Amino acid sequence: MADTLHLQIVTPDRLLVREDCDQVQIPGKNGELGILPGHAPLITELQIGEISYRVGTTTQYLAVAWGFAEVLPDKVTILADAAERAENIDVKRAQEAKARAEEALRQAAADLDYDATLYALRRAEVRLAVAARAGQTAAAH
Ligand code: ATP
């Protein structure tokens, strides 16, 4: 049995991660999935959430919004609609997206796309939480 997992995370723009790691955690559609080498094969949709992977004693974090993951015993491939490494998240942009979504929900206009706005809010909240993992702090405003 392989003792590492080859992880690839791909977005429509780029190859974001290609690394051998010891453990991967992904936000599956039906809940969090912790994956170790030798995991049974599966394919799952991803929701909005946090991906983390550990190499030795170092854990890396990414925000993800939708996509698919294929898990094989020695390999995890993630095709994400959008994903950002914690250190590359633009905190100000996420704060503004969060404020916009909250304001739209507060105003509750007749033509509000409620689901889309809730998803935008969730994306922004996850980005802020993941950015904080990298030591990026949200400036008070
Ligand atoms: P915004 O309203 O700020 O555009 P959004 O949630 O609508 O946010 P998405 O549609 O999820 O944005 O993503 C569009 C692209 O922008 C993707 O490539 C995504 O990785 C990138 N992106 C979105 N928000 C951020 C952010 N705060 N920091 C870095 N990249 C971001």
Side-chain angles (χ1 to χ4, degrees):
M1 190 184 83
D3 57 1
T4 57
L5 286 165
H6 186 65
L7 173 65
Q8 283 205 37
I9 304 178
V10 181
T11 70
D13 307 329
R14 66 181 107 157
L15 175 59
L16 209 55
V17 174
R18 184 166 59 191
E19 214 167 326
D20 289 330
C21 58
D22 300 306
Q23 188 177 0
V24 182
Q25 179 109 5
I26 57 176
K29 188 131 194 233
N30 299 315
E32 290 292 317
L33 274 174
I35 301 152
L36 293 168
H39 198 286
L42 64 85
I43 289 181
T44 182
E45 272 184 68
L46 299 177
Q47 52 176 312
I48 298 166
E50 178 180 293
I51 295 174
S52 64
Y53 65 93
R54 184 174 59 76
V55 182
T57 55
T58 304
T59 303
Q60 305 284 340
Y61 298 92
L62 298 98
V64 65
W66 314 122
F68 290 89
E70 180 194 50
V71 177
L72 295 172
D74 60 351
K75 192 173 169 187
V76 177
T77 306
I78 294 173
L79 307 177
D81 287 8
E84 306 90 36
R85 284 182 176 276
E87 58 274 24
N88 294 334
I89 290 172
D90 181 335
V91 171
K92 183 163 178 287
R93 176 174 167 179
Q95 284 175 331
E96 287 169 359
K98 179 170 184 276
R100 266 197 316 278
E102 285 172 341
E103 180 59 16
L105 290 170
R106 201 183 59 75
Q107 290 196 359
D111 61 350
L112 175 70
D113 185 336
Y114 190 72
D115 285 352
T117 309
L118 277 184
Y119 289 139
L121 178 58
R122 177 99 185 104
R123 286 195 299 277
E125 287 174 341
V126 165
R127 283 176 177 133
L128 291 171
V130 170
R133 298 266 203 194
Q136 287 203 65
T137 48
H141 70 141

